[in-house]
Amino acid sequence: MIPSPLPKWLESSCVRGWRHEAELNSTNDFAIQHAATIDTAQLPYLVLADQQTAGRGRGANRWWSAEGALTFSLIIEPEQWRIGTHLWPRLSVAVGGAVAEALRELAPGEDIRLKWPNDVYLNGRKVSGILVETLPSAPNRLVIGIGINVENSFQDAPAEVTGRAISLVDALPEPPGRFETLAAVLRRLDADFQLLTTNPKVLTNRWRQRCFLTGKFISIGDVERTLSGTCLGLEDDASLLIQTEAGPQRCYAGVVTIAE
Ligand code: BTN
């Protein structure tokens, strides 16, 4: 991909290459398609879209992104932060922690929480979703897709949507803009990826303090099984510990449902 010059506000971030499109189907799809051809010197590479027409989420989730939403993907080589493949599951969970921390800076005093593995909640409703994907064409690289409701208001959305989702523009008296939010997230990602190898306890403890699920009765299902029980919180290896009838069980993947 031909390098485009970085704008001033990106120069001080960890990003070394970027592409900004008015519209893409999905920034993750675009990043996956091009990831193997991007020069290492351009990594982390940012793919930013003003609008996505077919944004994807984990499992069967979709990610609708109206104008004003922040939707982007980063192509990274985790080894740049000395993060080996054994730490990739923790990296995925750490991305949620980094987004939560960035939102805490931008929205001090608000209730910001994490729903395992990496959804971010603001005042009880989802404000950000994250999709981390591996690349068969470039096995040492990852695509980190992040969607944050920033300037897209849900004020005219149906109650079914406003009951689940929230946007910074509706929740905060002085909401940040998309680029301000992006810059804060990039700063925090870089800092937290460094902590992942130097002081991971800090990340785990911070995550535990913000866990939305601890103490709640939840079900967690993947292709093989569904487990139900009380969530005991995040383990050091980034799994979620559930107190089931058969005893404590660690979950490494799955979709979480909270019992009403
Ligand atoms: C989820 O909540 O299940 C994850 C949603 C992830 C959405 C982001 S938006 C930018 C990137 N491109 C995509 O197609 N998906 C991610």
Side-chain angles (χ1 to χ4, degrees), residues 25-29 52 54-59 61-63 65 70-73 118-119 126 128-131 133 144-148:
N25 294 345
S26 147
T27 56
N28 264 38
D29 286 350
Q52 282 189 142
R56 294 186 292 108
R58 273 180 292 107
N61 288 356
R62 300 240 187 114
W63 188 265
S65 19
L70 171 61
T71 50
F72 67 98
S73 300
N118 49 25
D119 287 344
K126 184 160 164 172
S128 171
I130 292 160
L131 179 64
E133 297 188 284
I144 299 172
I146 301 180
I148 308 178

Side-chain angles (χ1 to χ4, degrees), residues 106 150-151 168-169 172 174-178 180-181:
L106 299 166
V150 178
E151 296 179 74
L168 299 185
V169 72
L172 307 179
E174 287 177 48
R178 274 191 313 153
E180 189 187 346
T181 306

Side-chain angles (χ1 to χ4, degrees), residues 121-178:
Y121 277 59
L122 168 65
N123 301 339
R125 285 175 280 168
K126 184 160 164 172
V127 68
S128 171
I130 292 160
L131 179 64
V132 179
E133 297 188 284
T134 51
L135 296 156
S137 60
N140 58 337
R141 297 183 174 183
L142 281 179
V143 168
I144 299 172
I146 301 180
I148 308 178
N149 297 317
V150 178
E151 296 179 74
N152 50 319
S153 175
F154 288 122
Q155 260 170 7
D156 297 324
E160 170 226 333
V161 174
T162 53
R164 289 186 279 113
I166 193 166
S167 180
L168 299 185
V169 72
D170 297 327
L172 307 179
E174 287 177 48
R178 274 191 313 153

